[in-house]
Short mmCIF file of all heavy atoms in Angstrom, two decimals:
data_model
loop_
_atom_site.label_atom_id
_atom_site.label_comp_id
_atom_site.label_asym_id
_atom_site.label_seq_id
_atom_site.Cartn_x
_atom_site.Cartn_y
_atom_site.Cartn_z
N HIS A 46 21.92 18.23 -12.02
CA HIS A 46 23.23 18.83 -12.38
C HIS A 46 23.98 19.23 -11.12
O HIS A 46 25.17 18.95 -11.06
CB HIS A 46 22.93 20.00 -13.31
CG HIS A 46 24.20 20.80 -13.64
ND1 HIS A 46 24.30 22.13 -13.39
CD2 HIS A 46 25.38 20.40 -14.16
CE1 HIS A 46 25.51 22.56 -13.73
NE2 HIS A 46 26.21 21.57 -14.16
N GLU A 55 11.65 29.23 -13.66
CA GLU A 55 10.52 29.65 -14.40
C GLU A 55 9.73 28.48 -14.93
O GLU A 55 10.30 27.58 -15.61
CB GLU A 55 11.03 30.52 -15.55
CG GLU A 55 10.07 31.47 -16.11
CD GLU A 55 10.71 32.26 -17.23
OE1 GLU A 55 11.65 33.08 -16.83
OE2 GLU A 55 10.36 32.17 -18.38
N GLU A 64 12.49 25.63 -15.76
CA GLU A 64 13.88 25.89 -15.98
C GLU A 64 14.70 26.06 -14.72
O GLU A 64 14.29 26.89 -13.90
CB GLU A 64 13.94 27.14 -16.91
CG GLU A 64 15.41 27.54 -17.34
CD GLU A 64 15.49 28.78 -18.13
OE1 GLU A 64 14.71 28.93 -19.07
OE2 GLU A 64 16.37 29.59 -17.75
N CYS A 65 15.73 25.32 -14.64
CA CYS A 65 16.57 25.47 -13.41
C CYS A 65 17.12 26.87 -13.35
O CYS A 65 17.73 27.36 -14.28
CB CYS A 65 17.65 24.46 -13.42
SG CYS A 65 18.80 24.69 -12.02
N PRO A 66 16.92 27.57 -12.21
CA PRO A 66 17.34 28.94 -12.11
C PRO A 66 18.88 29.17 -12.13
O PRO A 66 19.34 30.26 -12.44
CB PRO A 66 16.80 29.42 -10.76
CG PRO A 66 16.53 28.17 -9.97
CD PRO A 66 16.26 27.07 -10.97
N ARG A 67 19.66 28.08 -11.93
CA ARG A 67 21.09 28.28 -11.81
C ARG A 67 21.79 28.21 -13.16
O ARG A 67 22.69 29.05 -13.44
CB ARG A 67 21.62 27.41 -10.72
CG ARG A 67 21.34 27.88 -9.38
CD ARG A 67 21.86 26.84 -8.31
NE ARG A 67 21.26 25.52 -8.55
CZ ARG A 67 20.02 25.14 -8.35
NH1 ARG A 67 19.20 26.01 -7.84
NH2 ARG A 67 19.62 23.91 -8.64
N HIS A 68 21.56 27.21 -13.96
CA HIS A 68 22.25 27.04 -15.17
C HIS A 68 21.38 26.78 -16.38
O HIS A 68 21.88 26.39 -17.43
CB HIS A 68 23.34 25.87 -15.07
CG HIS A 68 24.28 26.03 -13.88
ND1 HIS A 68 24.07 25.48 -12.73
CD2 HIS A 68 25.33 26.83 -13.79
CE1 HIS A 68 25.06 25.83 -11.86
NE2 HIS A 68 25.86 26.70 -12.53
N GLY A 69 20.04 26.88 -16.16
CA GLY A 69 19.18 26.88 -17.31
C GLY A 69 18.77 25.55 -17.83
O GLY A 69 18.11 25.48 -18.91
N ALA A 70 19.01 24.41 -17.20
CA ALA A 70 18.56 23.15 -17.67
C ALA A 70 17.02 23.12 -17.62
O ALA A 70 16.44 23.58 -16.62
CB ALA A 70 19.11 22.00 -16.76
N LEU A 80 15.42 18.22 -20.49
CA LEU A 80 15.32 18.41 -21.91
C LEU A 80 16.60 19.00 -22.54
O LEU A 80 16.87 18.96 -23.72
CB LEU A 80 14.13 19.17 -22.31
CG LEU A 80 12.80 18.57 -21.91
CD1 LEU A 80 11.63 19.52 -22.02
CD2 LEU A 80 12.52 17.26 -22.66
N THR A 81 17.38 19.63 -21.66
CA THR A 81 18.65 20.26 -22.15
C THR A 81 19.71 19.97 -21.15
O THR A 81 19.54 19.75 -19.98
CB THR A 81 18.51 21.77 -22.33
OG1 THR A 81 18.38 22.37 -20.98
CG2 THR A 81 17.42 22.22 -23.20
N LEU A 82 21.00 20.15 -21.68
CA LEU A 82 22.12 20.12 -20.72
C LEU A 82 22.05 21.38 -19.87
O LEU A 82 21.29 22.33 -20.30
CB LEU A 82 23.42 20.01 -21.53
CG LEU A 82 23.70 18.75 -22.29
CD1 LEU A 82 24.96 18.89 -22.99
CD2 LEU A 82 23.76 17.56 -21.29
N PRO A 83 22.81 21.56 -18.85
CA PRO A 83 23.82 20.65 -18.37
C PRO A 83 23.30 19.50 -17.54
O PRO A 83 24.06 18.70 -17.00
CB PRO A 83 24.68 21.55 -17.47
CG PRO A 83 23.78 22.65 -16.99
CD PRO A 83 22.84 22.82 -18.11
N ALA A 84 22.00 19.33 -17.37
CA ALA A 84 21.49 18.19 -16.67
C ALA A 84 21.30 17.03 -17.65
O ALA A 84 20.93 17.26 -18.78
CB ALA A 84 20.18 18.51 -15.92
N TYR A 85 21.52 15.78 -17.16
CA TYR A 85 21.23 14.67 -18.06
C TYR A 85 20.73 13.48 -17.33
O TYR A 85 20.29 12.47 -17.89
CB TYR A 85 22.56 14.33 -18.82
CG TYR A 85 23.70 13.94 -17.94
CD1 TYR A 85 23.94 12.64 -17.62
CD2 TYR A 85 24.51 14.89 -17.41
CE1 TYR A 85 25.01 12.31 -16.73
CE2 TYR A 85 25.57 14.63 -16.61
CZ TYR A 85 25.84 13.27 -16.31
OH TYR A 85 26.82 12.96 -15.43
N VAL A 86 20.73 13.52 -15.96
CA VAL A 86 20.14 12.35 -15.23
C VAL A 86 18.72 12.71 -14.77
O VAL A 86 18.50 13.78 -14.17
CB VAL A 86 21.04 12.06 -13.96
CG1 VAL A 86 20.44 11.00 -13.13
CG2 VAL A 86 22.48 11.69 -14.35
N LYS B 69 16.03 37.82 -22.95
CA LYS B 69 16.05 36.98 -21.71
C LYS B 69 17.40 36.68 -21.28
O LYS B 69 17.71 36.65 -20.09
CB LYS B 69 15.21 35.73 -22.04
CG LYS B 69 14.88 34.95 -20.86
CD LYS B 69 13.52 34.22 -20.98
CE LYS B 69 13.41 33.13 -20.01
NZ LYS B 69 13.65 31.82 -20.58
N HIS B 73 19.56 37.36 -17.66
CA HIS B 73 20.37 36.42 -16.93
C HIS B 73 21.76 36.96 -16.71
O HIS B 73 22.36 36.88 -15.67
CB HIS B 73 20.46 35.07 -17.69
CG HIS B 73 19.27 34.26 -17.69
ND1 HIS B 73 18.63 33.91 -16.50
CD2 HIS B 73 18.59 33.64 -18.62
CE1 HIS B 73 17.60 33.10 -16.80
NE2 HIS B 73 17.53 32.97 -18.11
N ARG B 77 23.53 37.64 -12.96
CA ARG B 77 24.59 36.72 -12.54
C ARG B 77 25.88 37.33 -12.07
O ARG B 77 26.37 38.18 -12.78
CB ARG B 77 24.88 35.80 -13.64
CG ARG B 77 24.43 34.41 -13.37
CD ARG B 77 24.96 33.55 -14.56
NE ARG B 77 25.61 32.39 -14.03
CZ ARG B 77 24.94 31.19 -13.75
NH1 ARG B 77 23.74 31.13 -13.88
NH2 ARG B 77 25.69 30.23 -13.29
N THR B 180 20.32 24.41 -27.23
CA THR B 180 19.90 23.23 -26.54
C THR B 180 21.03 22.50 -25.78
O THR B 180 20.86 21.77 -24.85
CB THR B 180 19.29 22.19 -27.54
OG1 THR B 180 20.19 21.92 -28.51
CG2 THR B 180 17.95 22.62 -28.04
N ILE B 181 22.22 22.83 -26.25
CA ILE B 181 23.39 22.26 -25.57
C ILE B 181 23.92 23.18 -24.54
O ILE B 181 24.35 22.77 -23.44
CB ILE B 181 24.52 21.93 -26.61
CG1 ILE B 181 23.98 21.20 -27.80
CG2 ILE B 181 25.68 21.15 -26.03
CD1 ILE B 181 23.39 19.76 -27.50
N PRO B 183 22.37 26.24 -22.67
CA PRO B 183 21.25 27.16 -22.39
C PRO B 183 21.83 28.54 -22.07
O PRO B 183 22.89 28.65 -21.51
CB PRO B 183 20.52 26.60 -21.26
CG PRO B 183 21.24 25.32 -20.84
CD PRO B 183 22.45 25.22 -21.61
N ASN B 185 21.40 30.45 -19.66
CA ASN B 185 21.73 30.77 -18.34
C ASN B 185 22.84 29.89 -17.84
O ASN B 185 23.06 29.73 -16.64
CB ASN B 185 20.49 30.66 -17.47
CG ASN B 185 20.75 31.21 -16.07
OD1 ASN B 185 21.68 32.06 -15.89
ND2 ASN B 185 19.90 30.85 -15.08
N ASP B 186 23.51 29.18 -18.70
CA ASP B 186 24.55 28.20 -18.20
C ASP B 186 25.63 28.79 -17.38
O ASP B 186 26.06 28.27 -16.38
CB ASP B 186 25.15 27.49 -19.48
CG ASP B 186 25.95 26.34 -19.11
OD1 ASP B 186 27.14 26.39 -18.76
OD2 ASP B 186 25.32 25.26 -19.13
N ARG B 292 30.71 22.95 -25.91
CA ARG B 292 30.18 21.75 -25.41
C ARG B 292 29.65 20.90 -26.51
O ARG B 292 29.07 21.42 -27.50
CB ARG B 292 29.02 22.03 -24.39
CG ARG B 292 28.49 20.80 -23.66
CD ARG B 292 27.50 21.23 -22.62
NE ARG B 292 28.05 22.13 -21.63
CZ ARG B 292 27.26 22.99 -20.89
NH1 ARG B 292 26.00 22.98 -21.02
NH2 ARG B 292 27.85 23.71 -20.05
N ILE B 294 27.51 16.97 -27.58
CA ILE B 294 26.90 15.74 -27.17
C ILE B 294 27.22 14.69 -28.21
O ILE B 294 27.22 15.00 -29.44
CB ILE B 294 25.43 15.74 -26.85
CG1 ILE B 294 24.62 16.23 -28.03
CG2 ILE B 294 25.14 16.55 -25.62
CD1 ILE B 294 23.14 15.90 -27.85
N TYR B 320 29.58 15.30 -23.69
CA TYR B 320 28.61 14.50 -22.96
C TYR B 320 28.38 13.26 -23.78
O TYR B 320 27.84 13.33 -24.88
CB TYR B 320 27.34 15.25 -22.71
CG TYR B 320 27.37 16.25 -21.62
CD1 TYR B 320 28.23 17.39 -21.70
CD2 TYR B 320 26.75 16.04 -20.40
CE1 TYR B 320 28.31 18.38 -20.69
CE2 TYR B 320 26.86 16.97 -19.35
CZ TYR B 320 27.64 18.07 -19.52
OH TYR B 320 27.69 19.05 -18.53
N MET B 322 26.25 10.59 -24.44
CA MET B 322 24.83 10.26 -24.07
C MET B 322 24.34 8.92 -24.57
O MET B 322 23.35 8.44 -24.10
CB MET B 322 23.92 11.37 -24.65
CG MET B 322 24.28 12.80 -24.27
SD MET B 322 24.21 13.11 -22.53
CE MET B 322 22.48 13.06 -22.26
N VAL B 349 31.67 13.68 -19.63
CA VAL B 349 30.62 13.06 -18.78
C VAL B 349 30.19 11.73 -19.46
O VAL B 349 29.75 11.78 -20.60
CB VAL B 349 29.44 14.00 -18.66
CG1 VAL B 349 28.31 13.30 -17.89
CG2 VAL B 349 29.80 15.29 -17.93
N ALA B 351 27.52 9.29 -19.66
CA ALA B 351 26.12 9.23 -19.24
C ALA B 351 25.45 7.89 -19.84
O ALA B 351 24.24 7.78 -19.84
CB ALA B 351 25.37 10.37 -19.65
N GLU B 378 33.47 12.62 -15.24
CA GLU B 378 32.32 12.15 -14.49
C GLU B 378 31.73 10.92 -15.13
O GLU B 378 31.49 10.86 -16.31
CB GLU B 378 31.28 13.28 -14.48
CG GLU B 378 30.08 12.94 -13.54
CD GLU B 378 29.29 14.16 -13.23
OE1 GLU B 378 29.78 15.29 -13.24
OE2 GLU B 378 28.03 13.96 -13.03
N ALA B 380 28.41 8.66 -14.67
CA ALA B 380 27.11 8.59 -13.96
C ALA B 380 26.75 7.20 -13.73
O ALA B 380 27.25 6.19 -14.35
CB ALA B 380 26.03 9.26 -14.84
#
Side-chain angles (χ1 to χ4, degrees):
Chain A
H46 171 236
E55 201 177 297
E64 182 184 310
C65 174
R67 287 173 303 286
H68 305 96
L80 298 171
T81 65
L82 289 179
Y85 59 91
V86 177
Chain B
K69 192 144 159 259
H73 286 310
R77 246 185 131 88
T180 53
I181 311 298
N185 194 16
D186 193 275
R292 188 177 299 158
I294 57 163
Y320 281 70
M322 307 296 289
V349 175
E378 186 168 331

